[in-house]
Amino acid sequence: MTVSLAASLIELALGSGFGASGDAERNRCTLEGVTWQATPDGAVELRVRRFEATALRLASDPFVLEIGRIDVHELVAQLRAEAGVPRLASIQAGKAEFTGLKLHGPLVLPPQIQKIREASQGADAAAATPGGAAGHAAADAWHLAPLGEAEGTIRGQITDAHLLFDADVTVPIRRGQIDFNDATVEHVGPDSRMGVSRMGIYVDAPNGRSYLYQFAAAALAGVVFEHRGALLGPWVSERGKLQLQAFAESMLRQGRRGPGHGLTQQAGLLLGRTSLSGEVQLGEGLVAVPGLQVHLEGRNAIGLRSQSVGRGLTVEMASLTARDAVAVWQGAQMGFEQATARLELEILVEGPAMRFVLHVENGTAAGLRMDLQRRRPDGNADI
């Protein structure tokens, strides 16, 4: 009965089903100190002193969440009856500790998630798209404040490059900006130079200019384009700059056609032979994407590594500190007041498609909350 009640709470809360449990050790849940009482407004308040779960696997197409262990303290849930069926209205918890969390699925921009869900679940899935009406209203809500104060260096090594001959690339990041005058591309013979023009990001090699990434439109924020010498001469006097926060936000707002759009064919070949490493210190501030916002605190350090950028990239954060998170998913709004964790994000390239795997270890969160609400066709909330 304990497992059944815990499973029902999870499925009610997340709108997800348990995955196939290959053995008896999967999907184990225990509850301690359970009490309940009716409230004056007709709801039932369920209190749980401690909820512990091990080896959970939850699926909400197209995403899968696996949890090695989660320990929740002082959980309070409110249930309301609709047509005689109990429905979870809200959950709060004082504290949660978790490890072995793994979230994976396709790497797509939020508008594309809706298309995937509609294709896999039919027309009824459209109403359960992340964020509902609010998600559509915030479709362009991109804000990446921590990039504005980023500091670090990214290094790449291109092996047997057709144009660059085993090149070593170094790109410094200072005060949230890439200055291509400081970027270096070293190889046998005269070195090449990187820069940014109105057409895109390029490499000037001894045998000519090649574009790594071409802009769909020149009207991009956060870009200082190259300048040439007097009388429109061939020599570039200023290679250009990228202000990372403004540039990334602008690219994401325009990125309706998905990851990888804009890469040239030559760049795709080079990325397949390029290894990458880097260390970047992010600043503080708000991170907001459609359906999610959170404030990062402190100088969160990230590490980048890849044996072949064309096949994927790994991003590591040894210690993430965040606060005031709010997320919207399938009509539910959830969040926390404070959290710390160790993160590892894998981005995998599989032909034209991309997917991600997010690993979370040694995580703690305080002030957790979840409010579940359904939206009527007019877009208003209906609890």
Side-chain angles (χ1 to χ4, degrees), residues 204-341:
D204 275 345
N207 58 348
R209 173 169 294 190
S210 300
Y211 279 90
L212 302 179
Y213 191 95
Q214 292 182 325
F215 299 146
L220 287 170
V223 183
V224 178
F225 297 113
E226 68 174 7
H227 292 291
R228 294 187 176 272
L231 301 176
L232 299 178
W235 303 110
V236 177
S237 60
E238 165 66 43
R239 291 287 171 178
K241 301 178 178 65
L242 293 182
Q243 297 162 355
L244 290 180
Q245 180 184 349
F247 177 71
E249 292 171 357
S250 179
M251 291 290 291
L252 288 167
R253 291 188 185 105
Q254 295 184 17
R256 301 300 185 194
R257 281 170 280 188
H261 175 75
L263 283 177
T264 64
Q265 182 178 9
Q266 179 184 343
L269 294 174
L270 289 178
L271 290 178
R273 297 192 292 263
T274 300
S275 61
L276 187 73
S277 64
E279 308 83 31
V280 180
Q281 293 274 347
L282 299 177
E284 295 185 315
L286 175 67
V287 174
V289 304
L292 170 68
Q293 69 176 40
V294 63
H295 290 259
L296 298 191
E297 290 188 323
R299 298 289 291 179
N300 292 286
I302 66 173
L304 307 171
R305 57 182 171 84
S306 174
Q307 294 298 315
S308 170
V309 179
R311 293 197 296 268
L313 173 70
T314 298
V315 181
E316 298 175 314
M317 300 186 72
S319 179
L320 169 71
T321 303
R323 64 175 176 83
D324 300 332
V326 178
V328 177
W329 175 253
Q330 296 189 23
Q333 180 171 294
M334 59 201 83
F336 58 77
E337 295 176 359
Q338 194 81 25
T340 60

Side-chain angles (χ1 to χ4, degrees), residues 14-310:
L14 301 180
S16 306
F18 282 116
S21 61
D23 54 70
E25 296 301 313
R26 277 196 177 276
N27 300 330
R28 294 182 5 181
C29 307
T30 60
L31 301 172
E32 296 179 5
V34 180
T35 62
W36 63 87
Q37 64 180 6
T39 62
D41 61 356
V44 174
E45 184 178 87
L46 176 69
R47 290 182 173 269
V48 180
R49 185 175 67 248
R50 183 182 179 190
F51 164 75
E52 184 177 8
T54 304
L56 293 180
R57 186 180 188 276
L58 303 168
S60 182
D61 194 45
F63 303 105
V64 175
L65 173 64
E66 301 176 45
I67 302 174
R69 177 180 175 273
I70 184 169
D71 191 356
V72 183
H73 299 265
E74 304 302 329
L75 184 149
V76 180
Q78 279 204 346
L79 296 94
R80 297 179 181 275
E82 289 185 357
V85 178
R87 187 173 73 85
L88 192 61
S90 67
I91 299 178
Q92 296 183 2
K95 179 183 177 182
E97 301 171 351
F98 49 90
T99 190
L101 185 151
K102 178 181 177 182
L103 175 66
H104 52 98
L107 180 62
V108 292
L109 295 175
Q112 295 173 297
I113 295 176
Q114 179 183 1
K115 296 178 182 178
I116 291 176
R117 295 184 62 84
E118 288 176 348
S120 61
Q121 297 180 356
D124 289 342
T129 301
H136 290 294
D140 290 328
W142 297 94
H143 193 75
L144 306 174
L147 288 180
E149 297 297 327
E151 297 275 346
T153 302
I154 298 175
R155 303 173 187 86
Q157 185 174 40
I158 306 173
T159 303
D160 191 27
H162 177 63
L163 294 178
L164 304 181
F165 315 104
D166 292 354
D168 291 315
V169 181
T170 303
V171 180
I173 300 173
R174 301 290 180 264
R175 296 178 297 280
Q177 178 175 269
I178 293 175
D179 186 340
F180 285 108
N181 294 296
D182 299 330
T184 60
V185 183
E186 301 175 287
H187 48 75
V188 175
D191 290 341
S192 301
R193 299 297 303 275
M194 295 184 69
V196 56
S197 73
R198 295 187 179 276
M199 291 183 61
I201 300 172
Y202 64 79
V203 173
D204 275 345
N207 58 348
R209 173 169 294 190
S210 300
Y211 279 90
L212 302 179
Y213 191 95
Q214 292 182 325
F215 299 146
L220 287 170
V223 183
V224 178
F225 297 113
E226 68 174 7
H227 292 291
R228 294 187 176 272
L231 301 176
L232 299 178
W235 303 110
V236 177
S237 60
E238 165 66 43
R239 291 287 171 178
K241 301 178 178 65
L242 293 182
Q243 297 162 355
L244 290 180
Q245 180 184 349
F247 177 71
E249 292 171 357
S250 179
M251 291 290 291
L252 288 167
R253 291 188 185 105
Q254 295 184 17
R256 301 300 185 194
R257 281 170 280 188
H261 175 75
L263 283 177
T264 64
Q265 182 178 9
Q266 179 184 343
L269 294 174
L270 289 178
L271 290 178
R273 297 192 292 263
T274 300
S275 61
L276 187 73
S277 64
E279 308 83 31
V280 180
Q281 293 274 347
L282 299 177
E284 295 185 315
L286 175 67
V287 174
V289 304
L292 170 68
Q293 69 176 40
V294 63
H295 290 259
L296 298 191
E297 290 188 323
R299 298 289 291 179
N300 292 286
I302 66 173
L304 307 171
R305 57 182 171 84
S306 174
Q307 294 298 315
S308 170
V309 179

